[in-house]
Amino acid sequence: MALSSFILWLLFLAAAPLAVVESIPIYVPGSYKSSLKKDVKNAKPKLPYITQYFPQILDHFTFQPTSYKTFYQKYLINSQHWHKGGPIFVYTGNEGDIEWFASNTGFMLDIAPKFQALLVFIEHRFYGESLPFPEEKLKSAKTLGYLSSQQALADYATLITSLKKNLSSEASPVVVFGGSYGGMLAAWFRLKYPHIAIGALASSAPILQFDDIVPWSSFYDAVSQDFKEASLNCHEVIKGAWTELDGFANKKGGVAELSKIFRACKEISSIYSARDWLWSAFVYTAMVNYPTEANFMKPLPAYPVEEMCKIIDKSPRGATKLSRAFAAASLYYNYSKTEKCFKLEGDEDDHGLQGWNWQACTEMVMPMTCSNESMFPPFPFSYKEFADDCKKQFGVRPREHWITTEFGGKRIKQVLKRFGSNIIFSNGMQDPWSRGSVLNNISSSIVALVTEKGAHHVDFRSATKKDPHWLVEQRRQEMEIIKGWLHEYFMDNSQD
Ligand SMILES: *[C@@H]1O[C@H](CO)[C@@H](O)[C@H](O)[C@H]1NC(C)=O
Ligand SMILES: *[C@@H]1O[C@H](CO)[C@@H](O)[C@H](O)[C@H]1NC(C)=O
Ligand SMILES: *[C@@H]1O[C@H](CO)[C@@H](O)[C@H](O)[C@H]1NC(C)=O
Ligand SMILES: *[C@@H]1O[C@H](CO)[C@@H](O)[C@H](O)[C@H]1NC(C)=O
């Protein structure tokens, strides 16, 4: 699934088959699209959006005969509250099915009436239904080569321009919204296409998670910090569980025994499956440590990190650290109480995983390590190993410094202080991705809205009656700032 792919790239390297290099297939738009559309209709809950498909150009940056090929890019639109000539709010889609992001970005729907805004959610190329090639051809560099953040931004620019023309609303101001990787795209879009978007709200957007801009251990240190804040004992138990787990590797019948402890549906093939399963539970729970009950990746209670730690703190003293960590992780996988057993292997929802692996192996090189102080086992980052694995999987090596060359990031304060405007970077410190985002105000119009208790783009979720004051306040500030941008835009227009 979408967000899991954004962080699972660290773990994917184990299962990398060698890519088969093929010639570019001739893809006939239309036939493929219609067959997909049927499946989606049956599978998805009803959202208040109309689905459209835009014939998008495959390659914006070369003028080869093949670049003129088009594919169908999906977008969702809601004009219920739009006052013609009023603002257009565009969500710049991330690495996954756009309907999933739309259903988790209720904030835009909540504020549309106040702004009389048109809402548009654009799907990112190579994800969801917006596939330029049939799925079976999406494994080689020949086709995946067209998947990059720059092509995606150019898609958004092209589509928005066409849409405004079709609606005879060229003068409508556009504000872009995005969360996580979508937030990075929103911020970059404002910097690269200021003539198309008047501002960007980038929530939990780790645009600084590249090169050595932030410490490589900051992500896992932040996860650990969440657990430490909940309970020091909880942190220590989890930290100690990994050695106990590793002990099963050298034990006769260890893997079978471990499968039993973890209530695995099927005996696992190695202890690493149990390790990844535990690891993911703690990382995702930290990311979605929301103040209210939510169902983002899985259904979870309010402040799930605290709930996990309560399980650990209340468990019998005689219990091993590993069994206590397992009980805590079960909260993540079984809050619904419906799991008969756990699928430790082969249950990855691989929506978009291939696409994200490609992006991680080309432009999105985000070095991450686990420090000795974190609750995870120490873990180094070797660029060479990473690049070798990418070569094996896709036949290409990453361009390690491309993102900072193309979009910047180093000395961001000094650079953006005198260039650019109208970007909000919103973050919650519970979210480990916050450490790679912009946490300080850069100028009067490039601002950071940071909450101590917020998690992964919590501000983008639909408002609920139980929302704490700081969240209501963060959303109010965002609306206030956007209102200011629009006011300025209409003032400037009326003076020209
Ligand atoms: C705008 O209209 C043209 C012509 O009908 C169509 O091909 C294109 O897809 C439309 N653009 C969008 C964004 O829907
Ligand atoms: C999930 O929770 C239910 C209810 O507490 C429990 O009966 C079941 O055994 C749990 N599943 C697993 C795999 O632990
Ligand atoms: C972590 O601890 C090991 C062993 O105590 C030590 O050799 C290593 O330098 C430490 N690493 C860091 C990053 O502190
Ligand atoms: C940035 O400025 C805004 C006011 O424009 C303020 O509310 C906010 O707290 C500041 N952010 C930080 C991280 O200081």
Side-chain angles (χ1 to χ4, degrees), residues 197-244:
I198 66 158
L201 171 50
S203 184
S204 303
I207 59 166
L208 307 180
Q209 198 78 48
F210 297 95
D211 289 9
D212 53 0
I213 305 177
V214 296
W216 290 359
S217 68
S218 64
F219 182 93
Y220 287 110
D221 285 346
V223 177
S224 308
Q225 183 66 31
D226 286 357
F227 283 83
K228 209 182 254 180
E229 272 170 24
S231 145
L232 202 53
N233 173 60
C234 172
H235 180 272
E236 292 309 302
V237 168
I238 296 170
K239 192 177 167 87
W242 308 105
T243 357
E244 289 182 15

Side-chain angles (χ1 to χ4, degrees), residues 287-294 300-304 306 430 451 453-459 461 464 466-472 475:
M287 268 172 71
V288 300
N289 197 19
Y290 295 137
T292 56
E293 208 171 22
L300 281 174
Y303 293 119
E306 276 178 29
Q430 296 295 306
T451 59
K453 298 206 119 189
H456 205 49
H457 45 70
V458 65
D459 49 339
R461 303 194 65 73
T464 77
K466 290 184 181 157
D467 289 341
H469 172 73
W470 51 262
L471 179 54
V472 176
R475 291 191 184 120

Side-chain angles (χ1 to χ4, degrees), residues 371-373 378:
S371 69
N372 287 347
E373 284 71 40

